[in-house]
Amino acid sequence: MKAIVSICCMLSLLLLITADEEEDVLSSIVRDRSHIEETLRLAAEENSGDYAAALQKLMKIYHSSIKPMEQAYKYNELRQHEISDGEITSKPMVLFLGPWSVGKSSMINYLLGLQDLPYQLYTGAEPTTSEFTVIMHGEKIRSVEGIVMAADSSRSFSPLEKFGQNFLEKLIGIEMPHKLLERVTFVDTPGIIENRKQQERGYPFNDVCQWFIDRADLIFVVFDPTKLDVGLELEMLFRQLKGRESQIRIILNKADNLATQDLMRVYGALFWSLAPLINVTEPPRVYVSSFWPYDYAPDTSRELFKREEISLLEDLNQVIENRLENKIAFIRQHGIRVRIHGLLVDRYVQTFKERMSFFSDPDLVFKEIVDDPDKFFIFKSILAKTNVSKFDLPNRDAYRDFFGVNAVTNFKPLTAQCSYMGGCLLEKIERAITADLPALLSSLTSGKNPIFSSCEATGCGEKPKNRYRRN
């Protein structure tokens, strides 16, 4: 009996020694993360007072000058993009896209230092992420259901309700106290599986991706050496990224699994696969490294991988530092689109009234206009009379659908959208685009308070001049 007890004690001692040795081995191969905090300047304190004041000015400009025209001409029904206060005050969003099991979740764990912690994102060689996971800052570690995120108007995710309950069940938020998450929000997405039809997901996957793409400040499209093939779903994803090339960063992950010569071949194969999908003169930046917490494999280009990683972190830091400038530019771009929409609807309304007579059938008259707007110079007149680029004009077919839901008689012309106290919608949005928003932007770089007109929107008590009213 004593012999059995002594053998058990020896086995327990051996197991303890083995566990300690394994912990020592793991600690020796875990990569140093000090360069992440240094590059992202996580220890630096922010001047939150100036940032909050600038955000308040931005919201005031949006609500007083842009939103009135947005509501009057139902812009959100054309593009289904209504800006909320939560979206204006939200942190920069970094979106991770790509095939399954290429290391998207591992990369987030590495950037946040979550490895071996109970709340790290689950990773594996098989498809592991089936939800859209939003990692954001919070006072304590907790998970938030998608239904709760969509119902909270203070967040920027309330518009996601339109994708249905099946999607909200696949949306999850994770809050945690972290210095990096005070400045940025990460979104992990389900991996693209080419042999799975979109209908099998139970929600409109491409539409949801488009919603996040439209709001992302930085988009990481992640690949690894074993998944370079481009199928239908990935091809559709790159179509959705069209026009956002400046935000896209391509990542060739797990690069230390290959010898240098093989890595060069894989790098060339990746560009060969993506070349037909990216129609730009300057291709997106490609980062080649291994983004996970453990040390690089021996006999690989360690220095190259380290420099690539620091370069990616500098890109991320640039987005964080320019978040307010990007927000102002985003609101201004939105204002330009709303203005163009208002001008086009006004032109449709005017053309309809000009074509109508006592004996005309309203439905037939407007059908002729909306089916062939070029015949009535709808779009050309906007280009000729206003400072609008032809590249900013929306699709003509979109207005056929828009007026199919909204009768043209429901809209007033711009000449009727003026009031003594409120001013003219067009003049207010033009002042915001050309003066107020640029002044706010320049105040950030100069460190001075923005200069606004001392008069109210009515022009110092004078009756507003309407340059679109016929004499």
Side-chain angles (χ1 to χ4, degrees):
M1 185 69 180
K2 289 181 179 180
I4 294 173
V5 171
S6 61
I7 289 171
C8 290
C9 291
M10 289 177 66
L11 286 172
S12 301
L13 183 60
L14 286 171
L15 287 172
L16 285 173
I17 293 173
T18 304
D20 290 340
E21 288 178 349
E22 184 178 353
E23 186 176 349
D24 292 339
V25 171
L26 284 175
S27 63
S28 65
I29 64 173
V30 170
R31 201 185 306 171
D32 179 32
R33 295 185 67 260
S34 59
H35 63 286
I36 296 179
E37 295 189 2
E38 291 173 4
T39 307
L40 297 178
R41 302 172 189 171
L42 298 182
E45 294 294 329
E46 291 188 311
N47 194 343
S48 57
D50 292 345
Y51 180 77
L55 274 182
Q56 288 298 320
K57 291 172 183 173
L58 179 60
M59 280 199 292
K60 183 178 180 181
I61 293 171
Y62 170 71
H63 283 287
S64 63
S65 302
I66 299 175
K67 194 165 187 177
M69 181 174 281
E70 187 179 327
Q71 293 176 330
Y73 291 102
K74 299 184 178 181
Y75 176 76
N76 64 312
E77 294 189 20
L78 178 75
R79 290 186 53 99
Q80 296 187 351
H81 190 176
E82 187 173 1
I83 295 179
S84 62
D85 289 351
E87 189 169 350
I88 295 176
T89 58
S90 64
K91 300 178 180 69
M93 181 187 295
V94 178
L95 181 64
F96 291 79
L97 300 169
W100 59 275
S101 194
V102 293
K104 300 187 295 295
S105 302
S106 297
M107 187 174 177
I108 295 174
N109 286 337
Y110 172 56
L111 291 173
L112 297 176
L114 302 181
Q115 63 274 6
D116 302 326
L117 295 178
Y119 46 89
Q120 68 173 335
L121 300 183
Y122 180 64
T123 61
E126 74 284 359
T128 54
T129 304
S130 60
E131 300 95 3
F132 282 80
T133 307
V134 182
I135 304 97
M136 49 196 168
H137 182 263
E139 296 300 323
K140 59 181 181 179
I141 299 170
R142 71 183 186 112
S143 62
V144 184
E145 295 296 327
I147 299 174
V148 177
M149 292 173 63
D152 189 352
S153 59
S154 64
R155 303 180 190 268
S156 59
F157 303 103
S158 53
L160 289 171
E161 279 187 310
K162 66 184 178 183
F163 297 118
Q165 293 300 310
N166 285 340
F167 166 69
L168 294 180
E169 291 176 1
K170 294 292 184 180
L171 175 67
I172 187 169
I174 299 176
E175 290 184 345
M176 64 181 71
H178 196 284
K179 292 291 289 184
L180 180 54
L181 294 178
E182 290 178 6
R183 307 179 184 186
V184 72
T185 296
F186 291 133
V187 179
D188 192 15
T189 61
I192 293 171
I193 304 177
E194 296 296 351
N195 61 356
R196 176 182 294 172
K197 294 181 181 178
Q198 179 177 325
Q199 289 76 9
E200 294 178 6
R201 294 184 186 266
Y203 60 90
F205 176 74
N206 288 334
D207 293 341
V208 174
C209 285
Q210 188 67 63
W211 189 92
F212 281 103
I213 288 169
D214 288 341
R215 289 156 179 80
D217 296 87
L218 196 59
I219 302 170
F220 290 141
V221 185
V222 188
F223 294 89
D224 77 1
T226 65
K227 298 181 182 68
L228 303 179
D229 295 337
V230 176
L232 291 176
E233 198 166 65
L234 190 60
E235 185 177 348
M236 176 62 72
L237 179 65
F238 271 92
R239 285 181 193 162
Q240 294 176 284
L241 292 170
K242 187 175 177 60
R244 303 300 302 274
E245 286 81 7
S246 61
Q247 280 90 24
I248 298 174
R249 303 294 183 272
I250 307 294
I251 296 175
L252 181 56
N253 201 14
K254 306 181 185 179
D256 62 339
N257 290 344
L258 300 173
T260 304
Q261 189 174 7
D262 293 333
L263 181 59
M264 292 174 63
R265 290 171 178 164
V266 168
Y267 187 87
L270 176 62
F271 262 101
W272 179 265
S273 298
L274 298 182
L277 306 179
I278 305 175
N279 273 333
V280 290
T281 306
E282 183 179 352
R285 177 74 162 86
V286 178
Y287 296 96
V288 181
S289 188
S290 183
F291 295 93
W292 73 327
Y294 303 109
D295 200 5
Y296 302 114
D299 301 325
T300 54
S301 306
R302 303 169 63 91
E303 291 301 321
L304 170 65
F305 297 155
K306 182 71 174 290
R307 287 196 301 270
E308 289 282 280
E309 184 177 320
I310 291 176
S311 181
L312 180 140
L313 292 172
E314 289 172 348
D315 246 3
L316 177 58
N317 186 61
Q318 194 71 26
V319 168
I320 295 172
E321 290 187 348
N322 295 338
R323 62 193 183 279
L324 191 51
E325 290 90 335
N326 292 338
K327 196 79 71 176
I328 295 171
F330 168 73
I331 295 297
R332 185 174 182 274
Q333 183 184 46
H334 177 76
I336 291 171
R337 289 172 176 165
V338 172
R339 172 178 172 266
I340 293 172
H341 172 67
L343 290 169
L344 284 170
V345 173
D346 173 70
R347 187 59 190 163
Y348 274 103
V349 171
Q350 288 186 24
T351 305
F352 174 71
K353 289 186 175 182
E354 290 169 0
R355 298 288 298 174
M356 279 295 296
S357 65
F358 184 77
F359 298 102
S360 300
D361 184 336
D363 294 335
L364 292 177
V365 169
F366 192 69
K367 184 178 185 304
E368 183 184 7
I369 297 171
V370 81
D371 285 346
D372 190 6
D374 290 337
K375 178 181 176 181
F376 301 95
F377 305 102
I378 299 289
F379 287 80
K380 288 183 179 179
S381 64
I382 300 299
L383 294 175
K385 293 184 179 180
T386 58
N387 185 23
V388 175
S389 169
K390 66 178 181 179
F391 301 106
D392 291 332
L393 291 177
N395 191 340
R396 289 157 171 76
D397 295 335
Y399 282 91
R400 185 185 293 110
D401 298 333
F402 176 78
F403 286 114
V405 178
N406 303 284
V408 68
T409 53
N410 292 342
F411 298 103
K412 297 179 182 179
L414 284 171
T415 55
Q417 297 284 8
C418 291
S419 65
Y420 182 79
M421 296 299 295
C424 298
L425 294 187
L426 185 62
E427 290 181 357
K428 288 197 294 184
I429 197 170
E430 285 182 344
R431 184 170 60 248
I433 293 168
T434 59
D436 294 348
L437 290 172
L440 180 58
L441 189 59
S442 62
S443 72
L444 299 177
T445 56
S446 63
K448 299 178 182 178
N449 290 327
I451 301 172
F452 293 105
S453 172
S454 59
C455 304
E456 297 297 328
T458 55
C460 303
E462 297 179 1
K463 186 175 180 180
K465 295 180 181 179
N466 190 340
R467 57 192 174 93
Y468 285 89
R469 186 179 296 278
R470 296 176 180 176
N471 295 325

